[in-house]
Amino acid sequence: MDTVIDPKEFGLPPKTVIQQISKNHFAFVISRKSRIIMSDGRKILEKADKIKAIQPDSRISVKTSTPVCSKTIQFLKDNKIKVI
């Protein structure tokens, strides 16, 4: 499927890139050069909560080629967000 969804549907900022992988699976696409750290992880969790408020049975992932801090990976994993 892999279609890009308008973030305004979920009340998210317009620069947020959301890709729908399957019917109830969404992924935040992050492409930048700097590493993803814990403050980014908290923002990702806030955005994921907004999506889950609208579609409670949805799964959330993060697609990135950027390095991710190990603490952030564990934080997202504990909150059931997979890093791809």
Side-chain angles (χ1 to χ4, degrees):
M1 188 176 218
D2 289 353
T3 57
V4 177
I5 302 296
D6 184 17
K8 292 179 186 177
E9 291 180 27
F10 299 108
L12 296 173
K15 288 188 177 183
T16 305
V17 180
I18 304 172
Q19 194 173 54
Q20 187 171 10
I21 297 173
S22 65
K23 183 180 178 193
N24 292 323
H25 189 185
F26 299 95
F28 294 113
V29 181
I30 302 173
S31 53
R32 63 181 191 195
K33 291 183 181 180
S34 60
R35 163 181 164 148
I36 296 174
I37 58 175
M38 188 59 82
S39 63
D40 299 316
R42 289 187 190 102
K43 290 176 188 174
I44 291 168
L45 181 60
E46 288 175 14
K47 292 176 182 179
D49 288 341
K50 286 186 178 184
I51 291 176
K52 288 183 179 184
I54 294 171
Q55 291 190 353
D57 57 341
S58 60
R59 292 182 312 161
I60 309 293
S61 299
V62 176
K63 278 186 167 183
T64 186
S65 60
T66 305
V68 182
C69 169
S70 60
K71 288 181 186 178
T72 306
I73 291 174
Q74 187 61 46
F75 173 75
L76 293 172
K77 184 178 178 183
D78 291 344
N79 287 289
K80 298 179 179 154
I81 298 174
K82 185 177 178 183
V83 178
I84 301 173

